[in-house]
């Protein structure tokens, strides 16, 4: 099967590409250039791809041409401006990329005869945040206070409208939350900042130590995307799907920082900066994934402790001189072997 991933040079896209390659598929990608030191780059992923295309999805004509040229059977749309704090600095770029960019991809897919399934990636942040402890279900209201969340909610609602208005290519929406794993180089992500400062031997500052987040290993998340595409190919799966971690993985930023410091060793530590004047970020975000568990037979294979341990092991193995690609592939093989 030939898969096209938009955003394949990003964190999730690179893990998804390597997972699909391990499963014996062909993979192509459309993205901007990778960030320096990104997993795509350090794992030499370009060598695995049928087509490795650099373009801006805000360009509708170029996107349409590229999707037709690749002629994939399945499309995963991940390309986005995915950072909340960046969205305050660059609101126009965020809306143009996440909303109109998504429309450009959806239209391009609709005009490409080879495509049999399309999965559009949004986020847990699409839900109207009412600090619910028990988790949001797929049919609950969407909203979004910051530009990132609202842009993704707009993309989500637009995709829902497209599914109902133009029922051609089977299309689904995947919503997942914070993911962790080796090779993330994004700004302003907790574990990225922690591991970076641990490896430099300096403490990192934490803005919201009491914010509770769902933590999930990137492999469990992208495995959910693949399960959803399989369901579309089998004739079901239309609409919205949550892929969150189990309730035991809803953990405060403080707890994950403490656990990561302990696992790292070498007197690693962090600084509580909660008194500073920071931009608004959503508090509790919890997902109810019972629909995906029941209907897609999907579940998280890695518990919270394993997810954290695998992420730290990835970084430590690289620091000890192992090759990024070998470490990533060995973790993917271990993941696949978990029943
Ligand atoms: N990482 C998380 O914790 C998380 C949580 C929830 C949802 N998501 C969603 O998952 C998806 C992937 O996130 P990620 O963490 O891998 O992000 P990332 O920043 O690592 O990767 C983003 C990718 O999108 C591409 N991209 C950005 N703007 C583009 C443009 N204008 N044209 C073409 N390509 C463009 C980049 O080149 C890159 O390949 C996003 O849709 C994001 O909103 C991520």
């Amino acid at each position: 099967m030939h898969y096209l991933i938009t955003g394949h040079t990003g964190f999730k896209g690179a893990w998804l590409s390597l997972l699909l390659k391990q499963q014996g598929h062909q993979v192509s990608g459309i993205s901007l250039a990778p960030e320096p030191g990104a997993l795509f780059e350090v794992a030499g992923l370009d060598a695995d791809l049928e087509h490795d295309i650099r373009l801006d999805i805000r360009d509708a004509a170029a996107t349409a041409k590229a999707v037709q040229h690749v002629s994939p059977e399945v499309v995963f749309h991940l390309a986005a401006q995915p950072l909340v704090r960046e969205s305050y600095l660059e609101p126009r770029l965020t809306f143009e990329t996440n909303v109109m960019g998504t429309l450009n991809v959806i239209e391009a897919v609709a005009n490409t005869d080879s495509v049999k399934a399309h999965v559009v990636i949004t986020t847990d942040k699409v839900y109207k945040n009412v600090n619910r402890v028990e988790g949001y279900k797929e049919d609950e209201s969407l909203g979004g206070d910051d530009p990132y969340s609202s842009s993704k909610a707009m993309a989500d609602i637009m995709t829902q409208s497209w599914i109902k208005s133009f029922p051609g290519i089977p299309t689904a929406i995947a919503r997942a939350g914070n993911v962790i794993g080796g090779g993330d180089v994004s700004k302003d992500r907790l574990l990225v900042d922690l591991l970076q400062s641990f490896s430099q031997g300096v403490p990192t500052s934490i803005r919201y130590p009491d914010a509770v987040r769902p933590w999930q290993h990137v492999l469990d998340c992208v495995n959910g995307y693949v399960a959803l595409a399989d369901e579309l190919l089998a004739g079901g799966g239309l609409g919205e799907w949550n892929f969150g971690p189990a309730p035991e993985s809803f953990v405060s930023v403080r707890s994950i920082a403490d656990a990561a410091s302990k696992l790292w060793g070498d007197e690693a530590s962090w600084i509580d900066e909660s008194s500073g004047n920071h931009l608004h970020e959503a508090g509790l975000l919890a997902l109810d994934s019972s629909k995906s568990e029941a209907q897609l037979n999907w579940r998280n294979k890695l518990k919270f402790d394993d997810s954290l341990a695998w992420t730290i092991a990835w970084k430590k193995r690289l620091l000890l001189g192992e090759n990024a690609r070998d470490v990533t592939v060995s973790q993917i093989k271990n993941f696949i072997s978990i029943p």
Side-chain angles (χ1 to χ4, degrees), residues 50-77:
E50 306 299 315
H51 303 272
D52 178 16
I53 300 172
R54 298 282 171 273
L55 69 78
D56 192 323
I57 57 165
R58 292 176 297 164
D59 182 337
T63 304
K65 201 173 153 200
V67 176
Q68 290 224 354
H69 175 66
V70 172
S71 289
E73 287 154 296
V74 178
V75 178
F76 289 108
H77 172 46

Side-chain angles (χ1 to χ4, degrees), residues 317-329:
R317 285 172 68 179
L318 256 67
L319 288 173
L320 288 169
E322 278 191 70
N323 171 286
R325 184 192 188 81
D326 294 347
V327 175
T328 309
V329 169

Side-chain angles (χ1 to χ4, degrees), residues 7 9-12 32 55-57 78-80 82 148 152 177 179 189:
T9 58
F11 173 52
K12 282 190 184 182
L32 301 179
L55 69 78
D56 192 323
I57 57 165
L78 281 77
Y148 169 68
K152 291 297 259 192
V179 292
R189 284 189 182 152

Side-chain angles (χ1 to χ4, degrees), residues 194 202-209 254 257 269-274:
L194 278 172
V202 291
T204 192
S205 303
I206 293 188
R207 300 185 297 272
Y208 297 100
R254 180 184 302 282
S269 63
W270 58 279
I271 299 167
D272 183 340
E273 275 227 336
S274 48

Side-chain angles (χ1 to χ4, degrees), residues 14 17 56 119 126-127 150 246 274 290 334:
S17 302
D56 192 323
V119 178
V126 297
Y127 290 106
S150 66
S274 48
S290 48
N334 284 347

